[in-house]
Amino acid sequence: AQKVTQAQTEISVVEKEDVTLDCVYETRDTTYYLFWYKQPPSGELVFLIRRNSFDEQNEISGRYSWNFQKSTSSFNFTITASQVVDSAVYFCALIGLYAGGTSYGKLTFGQGTILTVHP
Amino acid sequence: NAGVTQTPKFRVLKTGQSMTLLCAQDMNHEYMYWYRQDPGMGLRLIHYSVGEGTTAKGEVPDGYNVSRLKKQNFLLGLESAAPSQTSVYFCASSWTGGLMNTEAFFGQGTRLTVV
């Protein structure tokens, strides 16, 4: 069974603060993909990043950065100099590829972290 | 290019009523999914389909049925709605489920309330 845990239910920061959203995952699959999605107040799900299990390089995209560590089964997301527009629910998710087979693209989501950025 | 479109966007049902949620994608994707989102639980997979004419159960399939008669459409049915099915429902599609998988494309969601 796969599991994704986002221990932070809610985070509140003031604009321009840096904030890190934690994600810890469990899977027995040796090949897997990790994702982050953003759900703004309007409700749609916005894809942010996909990372496969063979690539532990950290990634930076503008104010966003991701730290993938297989040794701790974590895939944390940092927003630098947060802005009010970053206020949203953020989901970490996992697709595990069964040995010799396929996951059929089924996503296992974490519980989500509600981020509120105050002006 | 519309992507993934869900119909309707909002619905209120009385307990025991039935309804069908429609998901349509125009990207020629093989795989389609229905998830439900509940507070504090993230999104959970209800049913999915790996191609026209196929369906399979996900994590929380009870109380729901699905059909994929056409590749571009994936229908989610509630035969006898219960208050526990009050949720936001998301449809998604993806090209494949294997190593070449791209990210799933999600619809805008359907907010269903059962009273």
Side-chain angles (χ1 to χ4, degrees):
Chain A
Q2 297 173 143
K3 187 177 181 181
V4 177
T5 302
Q6 296 177 249
Q8 304 148 310
T9 304
E10 293 191 51
I11 300 176
S12 182
V13 300
V14 177
E15 211 169 18
K16 298 185 182 177
E17 282 186 35
D18 298 346
V19 57
T20 295
L21 283 62
D22 297 333
C23 173
V24 175
Y25 62 91
E26 297 175 29
T27 179
R28 284 183 281 185
D29 298 318
T30 55
T31 301
Y32 50 89
Y33 288 99
L34 294 163
F35 301 79
W36 276 94
Y37 285 88
K38 174 182 180 180
Q39 186 178 43
S42 52
E44 73 274 20
L45 284 162
V46 178
F47 166 79
L48 294 178
I49 189 171
R50 177 182 67 151
R51 170 69 68 208
N52 72 56
S53 52
F54 299 118
D55 184 1
E56 284 194 74
Q57 281 189 334
N58 291 333
E59 181 154 339
I60 298 174
S61 176
R63 297 185 295 107
Y64 295 171
S65 61
W66 290 269
N67 182 359
F68 175 33
Q69 292 194 333
K70 287 180 76 170
S71 60
T72 56
S73 297
S74 65
F75 186 43
N76 296 337
F77 174 31
T78 297
I79 302 174
T80 302
S82 60
Q83 299 176 1
V84 172
V85 294
D86 296 326
S87 297
V89 183
Y90 290 87
F91 291 100
C92 181
L94 167 75
I95 292 176
L97 299 182
Y98 311 142
T102 177
S103 68
Y104 302 114
K106 296 180 289 180
L107 285 156
T108 298
F109 282 86
Q111 303 91 320
T113 297
I114 302 170
L115 173 65
T116 303
V117 181
H118 299 280
Chain B
N1 191 339
V4 179
T5 303
Q6 292 181 229
T7 309
K9 292 183 175 56
F10 303 94
R11 185 72 185 267
V12 178
L13 283 180
K14 293 183 179 179
T15 298
Q17 286 185 321
S18 63
M19 78 162 294
T20 300
L21 280 67
L22 171 63
C23 177
Q25 53 96 1
D26 61 3
M27 296 172 283
N28 202 33
H29 284 170
E30 290 293 333
Y31 290 39
M32 297 187 74
Y33 316 86
W34 277 106
Y35 293 88
R36 59 177 289 173
Q37 180 183 2
D38 301 293
M41 304 190 75
L43 280 77
R44 294 178 292 167
L45 183 65
I46 306 171
H47 285 281
Y48 65 101
S49 168
V50 300
E52 182 177 315
T54 74
T55 62
K57 294 180 180 180
E59 182 186 356
V60 288
D62 294 341
Y64 305 95
N65 56 75
V66 287
S67 64
R68 184 110 180 259
L69 299 179
K70 292 183 179 181
K71 186 177 183 179
Q72 63 267 33
N73 295 336
F74 194 30
L75 278 62
L76 177 70
L78 286 72
E79 290 185 349
S80 179
S84 60
Q85 293 178 304
T86 294
S87 188
V88 179
Y89 292 85
F90 285 96
C91 176
S93 70
S94 67
W95 185 249
T96 71
L99 286 174
M100 299 303 293
N101 185 48
T102 61
E103 75 277 10
F105 291 80
F106 283 85
Q108 70 273 49
T110 296
R111 186 173 295 277
L112 174 65
T113 302
V114 182
V115 298

